[in-house]
Amino acid sequence: MDFSDRHLNELAQEVAAIVMAHKLMLVTAESCTGGWIAKTLTDLPGSSTWFDTGVVTYSYQAKESLLGVNPRTLERTGAVSEETVLEMVSGALARFGAGVAVAVTGIAGPSGGTVEKPVGTVWISWKRRGGYGRAQLFHFPGDREAVRRQTVAAALIGLRKTLTD
């Protein structure tokens, strides 16, 4: 798959067109991508008409205070888990005025991986207001930039699917 800046821009344009067609606002809740999804989307001219906000939450405290992730979830499953990413995406929708959200949490490396959760482990979740969140586990190969770039692409592809299903 192509993970170039050009391809990410094309994916962002597709997502933007669908979000606008549905007359929605979009919010991102990012950890391992550090705002890259929001940047890719807001690089598009006119994004202020459909992009609500982007939140970058690396620490447990930020996930709790900005997105409402339950501290017990973080203690029990860790930041990189299905439970946490589902709470992140739901919290993003609950706290902001958007109609659709994407959340990502993962281990981009080069350190931080474990046997159970090696570098490249990423959870992504998508949700529309009033709907159910869906989460997917990925294991991306490569260095830190490669993992993050693949995460951005997967997040955008999943947004497109969430908006067209």
Side-chain angles (χ1 to χ4, degrees), residues 59-92 95:
S59 71
Y60 278 23
Q61 182 181 355
K63 285 176 178 63
E64 293 168 20
S65 64
L66 296 174
L67 297 172
V69 175
N70 189 317
R72 288 180 294 285
T73 301
L74 292 166
E75 290 169 18
R76 193 178 68 252
T77 67
V80 181
S81 67
E82 180 178 21
E83 294 86 350
T84 295
V85 80
L86 285 168
E87 289 186 24
M88 288 172 68
V89 79
S90 292
R95 284 173 157 64

Side-chain angles (χ1 to χ4, degrees), residues 101-144:
V102 60
V104 299
T105 185
I107 305 164
S111 61
T114 65
V115 173
E116 298 82 26
K117 297 177 185 177
V119 169
T121 302
V122 176
W123 278 98
I124 306 177
S125 182
W126 306 268
K127 185 176 181 180
R128 287 184 70 162
R129 184 169 299 284
Y132 293 101
R134 143 179 100 79
Q136 187 172 347
L137 174 62
F138 296 87
H139 294 284
F140 295 123
D143 63 10
R144 182 175 181 81

Side-chain angles (χ1 to χ4, degrees), residues 45-63:
S47 57
S48 61
T49 63
W50 53 268
F51 186 88
D52 184 60
T53 194
V55 180
V56 178
T57 58
Y58 262 65
S59 71
Y60 278 23
Q61 182 181 355
K63 285 176 178 63

